[in-house]
Amino acid sequence: MKKIAVLTGAGISAESGIKTFRDSNGLWEEYRVEDVATYEAWVRNPALVNEFYNQRRKKLYEAKPNAAHFALAELEKKFDVKIITQNVDDLHERGGSTNVLHLHGELKKVRSTVDPELVYTLEGWELKLGDKCEKGSQLRPHIVWFGEAVPLIEVAAEISSDADIYIVIGTSLNVYPAAGLLNFVREDAPKYLVDPNASPMPWIRNLTTIREKAGTGVPALVNELLIME
Ligand code: OAD
């Protein structure tokens, strides 16, 4: 089976009603990264940071996977598919994908502030200040904040370099190290980028740019790949 790796960003979940970060009307227009998405912010004002993620989690419970998430699951019929997502939502899993790596953490999970190995799935949307891990420390969102290490980046780089076909969907490729993963992909591997606002990347070999929304662009691409195989 050929190996397909897929790198996704906020754009794939936009049509499910989840806001992106850097588009106009995106989350980083409403909030400052330094106020809600760094460890320093959590130490300074845990209530504000916690409320930010509680609201995101609440919205996630109202959201459903869209045609792009479902189409990626279909790809597994003929390919060995690995998804590397920067998204903290669980829409790939709910869309049926079975192999999903969450580079930036998972919104429905929380973890201990003294032992990063202690990760729990939260019941419902609300984490409360005062909710503690089994070692008695405050639980925090299981999110990779700006300035924190990205523990799964090496696994993601390996998946990228192993891929026979690489698909990038709905990411501005602004945030490193995720944005650098394309550099690990074999030069001769066909690459596809689905994003209505994709910028040209002439230095990437064998890249086909599909300037469409994920909800239409991804199912069309998936059909094409399934027919070709
Ligand atoms: P961005 O908000 O930076 O980029 C979203 C991308 O999605 C843009 O390129 C849009 O053009 C595209 N887009 C918008 N609507 C789309 C649609 N319907 N279909 C396809 N594409 C669409 O989001 P990311 O690149 O995912 O990290 O951001 C990367 C990281 O920055 C996030 O994981 C998050 C953020 O700060 C953390 O919070 C740690």
Side-chain angles (χ1 to χ4, degrees), residues 3-228:
K3 292 180 184 153
I4 298 192
V6 189
L7 172 65
T8 65
I12 194 169
S13 299
E15 288 156 89
S16 294
I18 294 184
K19 279 192 174 187
T20 63
F21 297 95
R22 294 174 185 80
D23 288 309
S24 61
N25 203 26
L27 279 170
W28 296 152
E29 256 183 18
E30 212 176 319
Y31 300 89
R32 286 168 10 121
V33 169
E34 313 85 77
D35 290 340
V36 294
T38 66
Y39 182 71
E40 290 72 23
W42 168 254
V43 171
R44 203 168 49 236
N45 193 343
L48 178 72
V49 173
N50 192 44
E51 182 56 18
F52 175 75
Y53 288 100
N54 276 344
Q55 289 309 318
R56 308 272 78 71
R57 207 177 289 114
K58 198 171 179 184
K59 281 256 171 348
L60 177 54
Y61 274 96
E62 294 158 11
K64 293 191 177 69
N66 65 52
H69 299 104
F70 289 122
L72 290 178
E74 289 291 303
L75 262 187
E76 293 188 15
K77 286 182 178 162
K78 289 202 183 164
F79 296 94
D80 172 2
V81 183
K82 292 198 169 77
I83 295 181
I84 304 164
T85 187
Q86 299 166 83
N87 298 345
V88 294
D89 66 51
D90 61 348
L91 297 178
H92 283 301
E93 288 89 342
R94 283 200 264 151
S97 287
T98 59
N99 202 327
V100 185
L101 186 85
H102 283 273
L103 266 190
H104 292 164
E106 291 173 75
L107 202 44
K108 288 188 176 173
K109 293 187 178 168
V110 294
R111 72 169 185 265
S112 161
T113 37
V114 293
D115 182 351
E117 299 297 313
L118 292 177
V119 178
Y120 309 85
T121 299
L122 195 64
E123 279 189 23
W125 60 271
E126 193 177 18
L127 174 66
K128 295 195 183 80
L129 294 184
D131 287 349
K132 298 201 166 119
C133 77
E134 65 213 55
K135 291 187 176 169
S137 87
Q138 173 64 46
L139 291 167
R140 58 165 273 182
H142 185 48
I143 301 286
V144 175
W145 284 322
F146 283 89
E148 292 189 315
V150 181
L152 294 173
I153 194 66
E154 281 177 23
V155 185
E158 211 171 294
I159 293 171
S160 302
S161 60
D162 269 0
D164 301 306
I165 299 173
Y166 205 74
I167 305 174
V168 180
I169 306 163
T171 171
S172 62
L173 295 171
N174 260 298
V175 174
Y176 284 81
L181 286 171
L182 258 170
N183 299 323
F184 289 87
V185 185
R186 285 198 334 255
E187 211 173 271
D188 65 321
K191 301 164 195 77
Y192 301 89
L193 169 60
V194 185
D195 192 313
N197 308 306
S199 318
M201 291 194 287
W203 59 90
I204 305 280
R205 289 290 179 89
N206 287 312
L207 177 69
T208 305
T209 303
I210 302 163
R211 285 197 179 79
E212 273 185 55
K213 287 187 173 182
T216 47
V218 175
L221 173 61
V222 164
N223 276 340
E224 205 177 296
L225 293 169
L226 287 174
I227 289 166
M228 266 159 44

